């Protein structure tokens, strides 16, 4: 057990330092590849061992708790340094506030003689470790050829890759430590490491806009750090424990101080998960290289936020805090689904989609029933795989065509046939049954059926989601008549993660009934759903996974048959009322001054209804009101 924990938590720290110190690109690539493979194997081995509790012994005569305390203050001093470096008052204030709170908590309140198990893993933790170690490792491997081309495009004289891979790989260890921590102080330490790593990675390119957005990410997440420290102080002052499992075992909280502490911890999770009104830092993170975006959105950082809320959810079940969490999450899900409709930038669509889906997971944590927790876990798994895939696809496309605008992706199949098909597959796994994201949404709506406001927001948000995904997929399927696709060349280390994630998004959906039976159902005393013949059924309906896959397979075979028949057809340009340009086969028509005008197709983005300028201010005000209501209700 200790060896697996060393590999999963400490190895990425060591490997990150090796990436920084060993400047030879070939050696660095081997370190990243080796670390990714070892993490993947270790995460599977840890899953096979099952739930556990573990506390490491002292090192050099000093307890690990003392070392973490020292590391906490050292990290906050580093963050404070960057607050002075960028002359940001909020970073300075939030760093000092955290240090003051930790001094009071650590030096005057906490009984350090009381034993608190350091690590604890249940099915939720083990599933998170699998996602972090496998999906995160694939993203790091993809980054090897991507960053080479990225730096060639920027014409850098000195490579920044050593520092880049230091923080990219370090992220994986911090996240594994976070989801395995049972001591709240350890959880906080890893929580803050993810804050610092994201700051360094967002500002990696060193441009003015990159630095601006990295600073915004740092102060927003530092605000969450202040809330986390405040939450720990309220919890310890009321329950006199830092043991998360002991806290959860005591049942749903009734003491005011404990509820306030849990509300602040949830607020910290909101900031990390970029929930409204904190979405700005994650939208700004799109300036970072694509592997950073993929890592932040899929398996790390934002997942830390939803994990924290989901981990503490049983402690506030049935309270006003739970209602507030459900309303905040549901509102973010709906509002960001609406905001995504007005976007044509592929990365921004993915960003709003991520924030929206994280809101759905947080809503499930607030609903706080076995059915809702099942939905949340399914959404975490399938969103991680599909969203990582889509971000890597957008990065691949952008490097080839020089744009991330979906309007520029029309006819992509002719230029990048493999990537086009993989991207379409990724979109469909976010959009259609029988894939896992829609399964999770169905479960969430089932679980929210007795909460009117929440279920309405979830249903409306799900409907809006269809608009932007279907529009993007339709643009990719557009194929200029008469053109034949050009074989696509792609680096092996880019192709391998794309194909693995693509197959994973489909294969895991096919395995979802078995995943539920063997991974999720044992977590609950009573089964929230039943599985019969590959059909998941609940009190309000059923989701026929295997029958739908059969229909999907038959439909795919029919589509391939139609495509095969269409290859011999003669292309006819769109008819323009007799004004077509003679001899042209692209649909050009005779326009003003008898000049040819090319026919172009475009999507509606409805900015008058869903534009950021129109909705963002209102959405942020409403979200702030809901958060104040949640914390105020706890008081």
């Amino acid at each position: 057990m200790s060896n697996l924990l060393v590999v999963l938590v400490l190895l990425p720290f060591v490997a990150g330092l090796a990436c920084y110190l060993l400047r030879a690109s070939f050696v660095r690539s081997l370190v990243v590849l080796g670390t990714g493979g070892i993490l993947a194997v270790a995460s599977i081995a840890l899953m096979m061992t099952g739930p556990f509790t573990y506390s490491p012994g002292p090192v050099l005569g000093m307890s690990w708790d003392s070392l973490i305390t020292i590391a906490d203050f050292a990290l906050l001093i580093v963050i404070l340094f960057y607050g002075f470096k960028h002359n940001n008052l909020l970073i300075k204030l939030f760093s000092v506030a955290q240090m003051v709170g930790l001094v009071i908590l650590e030096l005057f309140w906490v009984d350090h003689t009381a034993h608190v198990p350091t690590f604890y893993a249940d099915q939720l933790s083990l599933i998170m470790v699998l996602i972090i170690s496998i999906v995160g490792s694939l993203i790091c491997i993809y980054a090897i050829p991507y960053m080479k081309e990225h730096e060639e495009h920027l014409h850098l004289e000195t490579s920044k890759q050593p520092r880049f891979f230091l923080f990219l790989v370090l992220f994986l260890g911090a996240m594994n430590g976070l989801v395995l921590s049972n001591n709240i102080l350890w959880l906080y330490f890893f929580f803050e490491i993810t804050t610092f790593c994201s700051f360094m990675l967002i500002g990696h390119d060193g441009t003015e806009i990159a630095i601006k957005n990295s600073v915004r990410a740092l102060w927003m997440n530092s605000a969450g750090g202040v809330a986390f420290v405040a939450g720990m102080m309220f919890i310890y002052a009321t329950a006199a424990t830092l043991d998360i499992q002991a806290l959860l075992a005591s049942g749903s909280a009734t003491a005011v101080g404990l509820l306030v502490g849990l509300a602040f911890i949830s607020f910290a999770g909101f900031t990390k998960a970029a929930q409204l009104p904190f979405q700005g830092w994650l939208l700004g993170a799109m300036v970072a290289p694509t592997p950073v975006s993929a890592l932040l959105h899929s398996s790390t950082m934002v997942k830390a936020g939803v994990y924290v809320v989901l981990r503490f959810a049983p402690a506030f079940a049935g309270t006003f805090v739970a209602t507030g969490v459900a309303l905040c999450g549901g509102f973010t899900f709906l509002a960001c689904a609406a905001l995504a409709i007005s976007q044509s930038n592929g990365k921004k669509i993915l960003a709003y989609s991520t924030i929206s889906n994280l809101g759905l997971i947080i809503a499930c944590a607030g609903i706080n029933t076995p059915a809702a927790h099942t939905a949340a876990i399914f959404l975490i798994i399938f969103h991680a795989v599909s969203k990582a895939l889509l971000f890597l696809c957008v990065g691949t496309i952008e490097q080839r065509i020089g744009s991330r605008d979906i309007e520029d992706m029309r006819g992509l199949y002719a230029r990048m046939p493999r990537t086009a098909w993989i991207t379409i597959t990724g979109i469909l796994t976010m959009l259609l049954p029988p894939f896992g994201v829609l399964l999770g949404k169905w479960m969430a709506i089932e679980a929210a059926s007795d909460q009117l406001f929440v279920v309405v927001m979830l249903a409306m948000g799900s409907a809006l989601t269809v608009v932007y995904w279907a529009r993007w997929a339709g643009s990719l399927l557009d194929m200029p008549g008469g053109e034949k696709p050009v074989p696509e060349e792609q680096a092996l280390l880019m192709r391998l993660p794309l194909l693995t994630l693509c197959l994973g998004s489909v294969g895991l959906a096919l395995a979802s009934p078995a995943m539920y039976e063997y991974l999720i159902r044992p977590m609950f005393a009573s089964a929230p759903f039943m599985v019969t013949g590959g059909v998941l059924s609940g009190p309000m309906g059923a989701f026929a996974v295997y029958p739908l896959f059969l229909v999907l397979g038959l439909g795919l075979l029919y589509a391939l048959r139609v495509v095969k028949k269409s290859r011999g057809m003669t292309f006819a340009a769109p008819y323009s009322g007799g004004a077509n340009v003679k001899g042209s086969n692209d649909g050009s028509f005779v326009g003003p001054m008898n000049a040819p005008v090319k026919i172009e197709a475009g999507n509606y983005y409805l900015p008058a209804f869903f534009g950021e300028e129109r909705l963002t201010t209102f959405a942020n005000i409403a979200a702030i009101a809901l958060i104040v209501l949640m914390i105020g209700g706890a008081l």
Side-chain angles (χ1 to χ4, degrees):
M1 180 63 62
S2 60
N3 291 335
L4 288 176
L5 289 174
V6 167
V7 168
L8 290 165
V9 180
L10 290 182
L11 175 62
F13 285 72
V14 176
L17 287 173
C19 289
Y20 184 75
L21 297 173
L22 303 173
R23 297 301 172 117
S25 60
F26 177 73
V27 176
R28 186 168 57 246
S29 299
L30 288 179
V31 170
V32 174
L33 283 168
T35 303
I38 294 170
L39 288 178
V41 172
S43 66
I44 295 170
L46 194 70
M47 172 62 78
M48 294 175 67
T49 63
F52 65 87
T53 301
Y54 177 77
S55 295
V59 56
L60 300 177
M62 184 178 290
S63 71
W64 277 98
D65 289 346
S66 299
L67 291 173
I68 289 297
T69 299
I70 295 170
D72 268 332
F73 285 103
L75 181 59
L76 288 172
I77 290 171
V78 172
I79 293 174
L80 181 62
F81 163 77
Y82 279 100
F84 279 100
K85 180 178 178 179
H86 296 290
N87 194 28
N88 187 281
L89 179 61
L90 290 175
I91 295 174
K92 299 174 190 175
L93 290 176
F94 292 151
S95 300
V96 171
Q98 289 179 74
M99 283 190 274
V100 171
L102 283 178
V103 167
I104 296 171
L105 183 65
E106 292 265 32
L107 300 185
F108 298 101
W109 288 10
V110 173
D111 179 10
H112 290 284
T113 61
H115 174 68
V116 177
T118 303
F119 295 110
Y120 171 84
D122 57 6
Q123 289 298 105
L124 174 60
S125 298
L126 295 173
I127 290 169
M128 290 295 296
V129 169
L130 278 174
I131 294 170
I132 295 159
S133 300
I134 296 176
V135 177
S137 294
L138 286 170
I139 294 170
C140 290
I141 291 169
Y142 171 93
I144 295 171
Y146 180 92
M147 290 307 295
K148 180 177 182 296
E149 188 166 339
H150 179 75
E151 292 193 341
E152 288 174 357
H153 175 73
L154 295 178
H155 304 293
L156 296 183
E157 294 183 3
T158 304
S159 175
K160 296 181 180 180
Q161 290 188 49
R163 191 183 71 171
F164 178 85
F165 281 99
L166 162 65
F167 291 107
L168 199 71
V169 176
L170 175 62
F171 226 137
L172 303 184
M175 277 297 299
N176 280 333
L178 187 150
V179 301
L180 292 171
S181 293
N182 180 60
N183 187 320
I184 301 179
L185 284 169
W186 282 64
L187 178 62
Y188 166 76
F189 170 66
F190 290 116
F191 192 85
E192 286 301 289
I193 289 181
T194 64
T195 293
F196 183 67
C197 286
S198 65
F199 162 70
M200 297 301 292
L201 288 169
I202 293 169
H204 171 75
D205 283 342
T207 62
E208 182 179 350
I209 189 171
I211 292 172
K212 177 183 176 182
N213 284 299
S214 67
V215 169
R216 177 167 55 178
L218 186 56
W219 77 254
M220 281 192 174
N221 283 289
S222 293
V226 174
F228 204 117
V229 172
M232 287 193 296
M233 295 177 74
F234 274 104
I235 288 171
Y236 192 82
T238 308
T241 184
L242 295 171
D243 187 333
I244 296 175
Q245 291 310 307
L247 183 67
L248 300 180
S250 63
S252 183
T254 54
V256 173
L258 191 54
L259 281 176
V260 172
L262 292 169
F264 275 118
I265 292 286
S266 297
F267 175 84
F270 289 177
T271 62
K272 188 73 72 174
Q275 298 295 279
L276 295 176
F278 302 103
Q279 75 279 16
W281 80 259
L282 193 59
L283 294 172
M286 295 303 97
V287 302
T290 292
V292 176
S293 303
L295 203 62
L296 292 180
H297 285 254
S298 61
S299 59
T300 63
M301 190 61 173
V302 291
K303 288 297 192 300
V306 296
Y307 171 80
V308 165
V309 179
L310 200 59
R311 171 55 70 201
F312 286 94
F316 55 73
T319 68
F320 191 83
V321 173
T323 303
V325 169
L327 289 172
C328 289
F331 180 73
T332 294
F333 175 62
L334 172 60
C336 288
L339 285 162
I341 291 176
S342 65
Q343 306 303 315
S344 65
N345 183 308
K347 265 195 173 184
K348 209 163 188 180
I349 293 171
L350 294 178
Y352 272 122
S353 169
T354 294
I355 300 165
S356 178
N357 279 282
L358 295 174
L360 180 57
I361 297 169
I362 286 175
C364 290
I367 296 167
N368 231 333
T369 62
H373 283 262
T374 300
I377 294 169
F378 265 121
L379 287 166
I380 287 172
I381 294 170
F382 289 106
H383 178 265
V385 177
S386 294
K387 195 54 65 73
L389 172 64
L390 287 170
F391 265 106
L392 298 188
C393 285
V394 170
T396 304
I397 294 167
E398 184 181 13
Q399 284 196 336
R400 177 70 179 271
I401 70 174
S403 173
R404 59 180 69 157
D405 195 302
I406 66 172
E407 294 296 333
D408 296 327
M409 296 181 193
R410 289 184 177 276
L412 185 69
Y413 179 73
R415 293 170 284 177
M416 305 177 69
R418 183 192 301 112
T419 303
W421 275 119
I422 291 174
T423 307
I424 292 168
T425 302
I427 291 173
L428 294 182
T429 60
M430 293 291 297
L431 171 65
L432 294 179
F435 298 111
V437 173
L438 196 67
L439 171 61
K441 287 180 180 178
W442 169 75
M443 288 178 168
I445 293 173
E446 282 255 329
S449 58
D450 61 345
Q451 299 191 26
L452 178 61
F453 291 109
V454 178
V455 76
V456 168
M457 287 190 288
L458 299 193
M460 292 177 64
S462 296
L464 292 174
T465 298
V466 176
V467 177
Y468 59 82
W469 286 132
R471 180 175 60 199
W472 193 350
S475 298
L476 288 169
L477 287 168
D478 182 20
M479 177 67 179
E483 289 194 25
K484 292 184 178 180
V486 178
E488 182 179 354
E489 295 183 3
Q490 199 172 66
L492 176 62
L493 294 183
M494 295 182 79
R495 186 189 313 162
L496 181 63
L498 289 175
L499 290 174
T500 303
L501 290 169
C502 183
L503 293 173
S505 64
V506 177
L508 288 174
L510 184 61
S512 56
M515 288 169 56
Y516 170 74
E517 285 283 355
Y518 296 106
L519 290 183
I520 302 174
R521 182 174 174 176
M523 297 171 62
F524 309 107
S526 58
F529 299 96
M530 299 302 295
V531 178
T532 307
V535 177
L536 284 140
S537 57
M540 307 295 291
F543 195 96
V545 177
Y546 290 168
L548 286 169
F549 259 107
L550 178 61
V551 172
L552 178 68
L554 293 173
L556 181 61
L557 290 174
Y558 178 75
L560 291 173
R561 181 184 175 190
V562 171
V563 170
K564 186 177 180 180
K565 284 185 177 181
S566 69
R567 288 175 180 169
M569 295 181 179
T570 303
F571 171 75
Y575 179 64
S576 303
N580 291 71
V581 175
K582 290 183 179 181
S584 172
N585 64 354
D586 62 359
S588 300
F589 63 91
V590 179
M593 305 296 292
N594 290 322
V597 179
K598 185 178 180 180
I599 289 181
E600 293 183 344
N603 291 300
Y604 286 108
Y605 293 93
L606 306 174
F609 299 99
F610 301 107
E612 288 179 300
E613 298 80 5
R614 177 172 290 273
L615 292 183
T616 299
T617 301
F618 162 75
N620 285 344
I621 292 172
I624 292 170
L626 288 172
I627 291 173
V628 171
L629 186 66
M630 178 188 74
I631 298 176
L635 291 168

